[in-house]
Amino acid sequence: MTVDWCKCILQSSCRLNLINLNTEYFDNLLGVFVIWYENKGGGKIVSVGQGIIRDKLIEMQIDKKVQEYGPDLYVTWASVPRVSLEGIEAFLYQKLNPLVHHSITSCDTIEVNLPQLLMISKKFRLAYPTITEVDLELNDRDDGNLLARPQKKLLE
């Protein structure tokens, strides 16, 4: 299954602890998410999950195990049908091996394209293939970092 991952991951609006979840965009948004961090030594997947994205990300903002890896945590998500939630979450959990483990429903996995987690430094990428290039414009900044701008205004 191919999913469209949110692409505003390099903006402060898509940092887990700064994202404005009180917009219409998140009303009843059902899907899966991936949370990660980065530092000079690299990056790691912190958590994956599924459900109503607003509710789940609020939970992650106060989850002490997740926040241990902060404060600069990034998040991306994809809207998926309810019937696929548990299978996709199980696939993400198995494939990405997050640092924060939680119980996953025993079910058949549903393979999806993984998010290409572009990090702030152009020198570091988590190399996961296949991502649909929508809603993102990348521009080089003078300081050598990438600046991402959603082409559609998803988040206010």
Side-chain angles (χ1 to χ4, degrees):
M1 175 186 280
T2 299
V3 300
D4 290 324
W5 293 96
C6 173
K7 308 302 183 307
C8 58
I9 56 179
L10 297 179
Q11 289 188 324
S12 61
S13 62
C14 285
R15 287 190 175 181
L16 176 63
N17 296 320
L18 299 177
I19 192 166
N20 179 4
L21 297 168
N22 294 319
T23 64
E24 287 181 22
Y25 172 77
F26 289 103
D27 289 351
N28 302 309
L29 179 63
L30 194 62
V32 292
F33 64 88
V34 176
I35 297 170
W36 74 98
Y37 76 88
E38 66 168 284
N39 61 29
K40 291 181 182 183
K44 298 281 185 186
I45 303 297
V46 175
S47 185
V48 300
Q50 55 89 5
I52 297 175
I53 297 299
R54 175 186 285 144
D55 296 346
K56 292 299 180 175
L57 295 185
I58 289 171
E59 287 177 23
M60 297 297 105
Q61 288 173 337
I62 59 174
D63 185 306
K64 289 180 182 179
K65 290 180 183 177
V66 170
Q67 292 300 318
E68 282 179 19
Y69 299 98
D72 291 330
L73 297 171
Y74 296 89
V75 62
T76 188
W77 59 88
S79 177
V80 299
R82 182 177 299 278
V83 69
S84 303
L85 287 173
E86 291 177 350
I88 294 172
E89 179 188 32
F91 170 77
L92 293 172
Y93 193 80
Q94 181 182 63
K95 192 75 171 174
L96 300 177
N97 191 26
L99 296 168
V100 176
H101 294 276
H102 62 277
S103 61
I104 299 290
T105 304
S106 179
C107 63
D108 292 333
T109 61
I110 298 174
E111 186 173 343
V112 296
N113 55 303
L114 295 172
Q116 184 178 4
L117 305 177
L118 299 172
M119 299 303 174
I120 289 176
S121 170
K122 287 195 283 189
K123 297 175 184 170
F124 176 76
R125 288 177 186 254
L126 291 178
Y128 296 119
T130 64
I131 190 167
T132 305
E133 292 296 333
V134 295
D135 303 330
L136 180 66
E137 174 184 306
L138 290 177
N139 294 312
D140 287 324
R141 292 188 353 191
D142 291 338
D143 62 4
N145 292 328
L146 294 176
L147 175 65
R149 291 191 185 105
Q151 292 174 357
K152 292 180 184 173
K153 195 166 186 174
L154 296 178
L155 304 172
E156 302 276 293

